Amino acid sequence: MYLADRSAPAGAKTAPDGASVRAPAVASTVLALGAVSLITDVSSEMVTAVLPLYLVAGLGLSPLGFGALDGVYNGVSALVQLTGGHLADRVRNHKLIAGIGYGLSALCKPLLLLAHSLGPVGVVLALERTGKGLRTAPRDALISLSTPAELQGRAFGVHRAMDTTGALLGPLAAFFILNMAVGGYDAVFGVSACVAVLGVVVLMLFVPSGAGLGPEPSGRAKRGGTRPDAGKPDPGKPSGVSLREAVALLRLPRLRALALCAALLGLTTVSDAFLYLLLQDRTGIREQWFPLLPLGTAAVFLLLAVPAGALADRIGRRSVFLAGHALLLAGYGLLLWAPHWPALPYLVLALHGLFYAATDGVLPAAVGATVPAKLRATGLAVVGTGQALARFGCSLAFGAAWTVWGAGPALAAAAAGLCCCAAVAGFVLRPAAADPAPDPARLPRGTR
């Protein structure tokens, strides 16, 4: 079930006694992880919403300096993703590695209270992104391993919708704190740290470890209590993987294609922070309203993440994924044209949210259907790392282009690049190139 093919709709399953039962649409593991992500995103987005303005207006960074820092913010997590994914597969405890990542990010939030120049802020953000890099692949592997293949687009959509609820609440909290609390930015950073700790607690209490995790049983199988073989060793249960097996994963042609396309498109995807700065620059939005700009993106993402994931399961992930990038290109076009429409900010933010709804959960769903279960976190990390490193490069290049050429020419170059890269991705992921299924007999040695 790749980006290029169609998925069979989820249907009824048959219980041992012949009765027809329906699998749950979303596993409880997905809901628990969604709650953790919701709480954590409230914390993270409180900081993210004020960070561009804090750095540019408060600390006086140039667009080039902000581009470098934004690149670090996104690039460090990319470098750590492979480590987090491989460790999760190696120790067969995805929750442990994810918990370390969530904990490290939570510890970094109070350190922002002590950082008031570019160097210390950069170090703190790098550590915080290290935590994000450690947790991303194990978390997505837990979602994938707990969900049947034909429902993974919907499952990732549900998780991303809950995650985005936090992204919606975070900027709102930052807005009210900035306008009501004494201390401004420091108050935002302090509250963010407290919320991040709550997310770690929820993870520890409600999310299973993921060792040998599989799709949850349903119907009679779920109501029947303990299985007869419970507690006995499972000879088919995946064991820890070696570095050699992880490297051999790159021999899967479809995984290479997904990683290549994610990286190509990431090279021309302007970061959220730059897009909001562009929107303010082109429309003259006042500074006190700046923290609310991510709300437009988050609201649309929240409303459409689940429908977009279900649509991708039904008609094919390739079509939805590429359509998302076409919508982002339309947003770039509106910013370049910049007509004097009162609705321009709303249109750009809506297109930005549609882009995330059509891509953010669809890509890992496609990777999950391509990679063997025992290497699921590693495979997700490979694709995520390539995409994040590409976006790191885009942040550096876009910041430099804005500094040298100005905002308009820099965005025009990004739009032209996105158009070309989307065309290449459409060819690489064309339906004729898709395999019907990952045949275990044809997998590289060590990944079967």
Side-chain angles (χ1 to χ4, degrees), residues 141-158:
L142 282 168
I143 296 171
S144 180
L145 291 170
S146 65
T147 306
E150 68 273 12
L151 292 175
Q152 288 194 19
R154 182 191 300 272
F156 277 103
V158 168

Side-chain angles (χ1 to χ4, degrees), residues 95-319:
K95 175 183 174 179
L96 173 64
I97 305 303
I100 293 173
Y102 280 108
L104 180 59
S105 293
L107 287 173
C108 289
K109 296 296 194 309
L111 295 180
L112 287 171
L113 296 168
L114 307 175
H116 297 289
S117 61
L118 177 59
V121 169
V123 172
V124 173
L125 292 180
L127 288 173
E128 199 278 337
R129 290 295 92 179
T130 298
K132 179 176 175 58
L134 282 175
R135 71 181 185 247
T136 298
R139 180 204 64 201
D140 284 351
L142 282 168
I143 296 171
S144 180
L145 291 170
S146 65
T147 306
E150 68 273 12
L151 292 175
Q152 288 194 19
R154 182 191 300 272
F156 277 103
V158 168
H159 174 268
R160 297 315 195 249
M162 296 180 72
D163 181 269
T164 306
T165 302
L168 195 66
L169 297 175
L172 276 176
F175 174 76
F176 286 115
I177 292 171
L178 280 178
N179 284 278
M180 296 177 64
V182 177
Y185 295 113
D186 285 349
V188 172
F189 300 151
V191 174
S192 172
C194 297
V195 177
V197 172
L198 176 60
V200 177
V201 171
V202 173
L203 175 76
M204 294 296 102
L205 293 179
F206 297 105
V207 177
S209 68
L213 191 65
E216 293 187 359
S218 60
R220 182 182 179 92
K222 191 171 184 177
R223 296 191 301 266
T226 307
R227 296 178 329 202
D229 59 347
K232 296 181 180 179
D234 182 1
K237 178 179 174 179
S239 58
V241 298
S242 66
L243 183 60
R244 173 186 248 178
E245 290 175 301
V247 172
L249 190 61
L250 294 172
R251 294 170 55 192
L252 292 172
R254 199 63 190 169
L255 182 66
R256 290 202 307 269
L258 290 171
L260 171 64
C261 292
L264 275 177
L265 293 166
L267 282 172
T268 51
T269 302
V270 176
S271 73
D272 296 358
F274 267 129
L275 187 135
Y276 301 140
L277 287 172
L278 281 166
L279 193 55
Q280 185 195 36
D281 178 71
R282 310 294 263 185
T283 61
I285 295 172
R286 290 184 295 175
E287 288 187 359
Q288 62 263 39
W289 299 107
F290 186 87
L292 296 181
L293 291 180
L295 294 181
T297 298
V300 176
F301 190 7
L302 172 63
L303 291 173
L304 297 179
V306 177
L311 181 66
D313 287 338
R314 187 165 63 252
I315 71 171
R317 290 160 187 159
R318 169 184 179 269
S319 299

